[in-house]
């Protein structure tokens, strides 16, 4: 029997999720690499990305199907099954986040919120000039950049493994999966 390549287009990421994602990328990169620490612009970018994450959390409960946490929450069983599929060479299609991508997303959200809290605390009288808090804030920021880099690399690798351009999907909102009929 002869097989032919078939492409399957699946609408996944709504405009809010895509705008959130790329706004977060720009805000975090600008704050880490462009804007000097302690500047008013740095603080407002921090407040902005923290607000974006809080809005995304709300959207995770009330948003479109694949934006909802219930659609992709990485339960231990889902993570184990996904790892077993990867180890065996099976490539199960996930319309939304795969379980490892979901873990990464939750970790990134947690780090951004931690940055927001520690950044805000640095402006409070009780913590003004506390070196440990500044170091914690910087360490979280460095961890966020490291995880964001791993996230980008994983998106590229998984795009190749799953034959789905994940970066393009985060721009267009549609995952196009190549498969066999």
């Amino acid at each position: 029997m002869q097989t032919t390549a078939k492409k399957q287009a699946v609408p996944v990421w709504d405009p809010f999720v895509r705008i959130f994602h790329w706004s977060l990328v720009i805000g975090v990169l600008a704050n880490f690499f462009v804007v000097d620490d302690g500047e008013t612009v740095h603080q407002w970018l921090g407040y902005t990305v923290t607000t974006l994450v809080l809005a995304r959390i709300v959207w995770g409960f009330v948003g479109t199907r694949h934006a909802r946490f219930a659609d992709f929450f990485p339960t231990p069983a889902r993570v184990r099954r996904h790892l077993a599929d990867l180890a065996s060479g099976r490539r199960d299609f996930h319309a939304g986040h795969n379980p490892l991508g979901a873990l990464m997303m939750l970790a990134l959200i947690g780090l951004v919120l931690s940055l927001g809290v520690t950044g805000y605390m640095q402006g409070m009288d009780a913590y003004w000039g506390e070196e440990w808090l500044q170091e914690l804030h910087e360490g979280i920021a460095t961890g966020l950049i490291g995880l964001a880099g791993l996230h980008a690399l994983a998106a590229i690798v998984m795009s190749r493994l799953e034959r789905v351009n994940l970066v393009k999907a985060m721009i267009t909102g549609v995952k196009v999966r190549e498969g066999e009929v």
Side-chain angles (χ1 to χ4, degrees), residues 73-104:
F73 194 79
T75 64
R78 287 178 177 173
V79 172
R80 277 193 305 274
R81 187 170 44 253
H82 183 64
L83 289 172
D85 286 347
L86 286 174
S88 70
R90 287 189 305 270
R91 302 294 176 248
D92 190 24
F93 179 72
H94 297 271
H97 289 291
N98 70 42
L100 294 179
L103 283 173
M104 178 62 78

Side-chain angles (χ1 to χ4, degrees), residues 50 53 107-121 133 136-137 140-141:
T50 301
V53 167
L108 292 170
I109 282 175
L111 288 174
V112 171
L113 290 177
S114 298
L115 277 173
V117 169
T118 57
Y120 179 78
M121 287 173 66
L133 185 58
L136 176 61
H137 187 76
I140 294 168

Side-chain angles (χ1 to χ4, degrees), residues 5-158:
K6 176 186 175 187
K7 291 187 178 189
Q8 175 187 14
V10 180
V12 178
W13 307 124
D14 62 65
F16 176 84
V17 169
R18 298 189 323 261
I19 292 168
F20 157 79
H21 180 271
W22 295 111
S23 298
L24 188 66
V25 168
I26 291 166
V28 167
L29 292 177
N31 241 6
F32 193 84
F33 292 109
V34 179
V35 178
D36 288 332
D37 298 346
E39 286 187 358
T40 302
V41 174
H42 179 86
Q43 293 170 344
W44 282 104
L45 271 173
Y47 295 144
T48 301
V49 298
T50 301
T51 301
L52 282 169
V53 167
L54 292 172
R56 177 61 182 94
I57 290 171
V58 170
W59 197 245
F61 292 102
V62 302
T64 57
R65 176 182 172 196
H66 297 299
R68 290 180 184 233
F69 297 126
D71 185 65
F72 61 83
F73 194 79
T75 64
R78 287 178 177 173
V79 172
R80 277 193 305 274
R81 187 170 44 253
H82 183 64
L83 289 172
D85 286 347
L86 286 174
S88 70
R90 287 189 305 270
R91 302 294 176 248
D92 190 24
F93 179 72
H94 297 271
H97 289 291
N98 70 42
L100 294 179
L103 283 173
M104 178 62 78
M105 179 204 165
L106 294 173
L108 292 170
I109 282 175
L111 288 174
V112 171
L113 290 177
S114 298
L115 277 173
V117 169
T118 57
Y120 179 78
M121 287 173 66
Q122 289 181 64
M124 298 171 65
D125 289 340
Y127 298 103
W128 182 260
E130 289 287 340
E131 193 170 325
W132 69 267
L133 185 58
Q134 292 172 5
E135 290 175 6
L136 176 61
H137 187 76
E138 290 172 10
I140 294 168
T142 301
L144 175 63
I145 293 299
L147 273 185
L150 180 60
H151 168 67
L153 179 63
I156 293 166
V157 169
M158 292 307 293

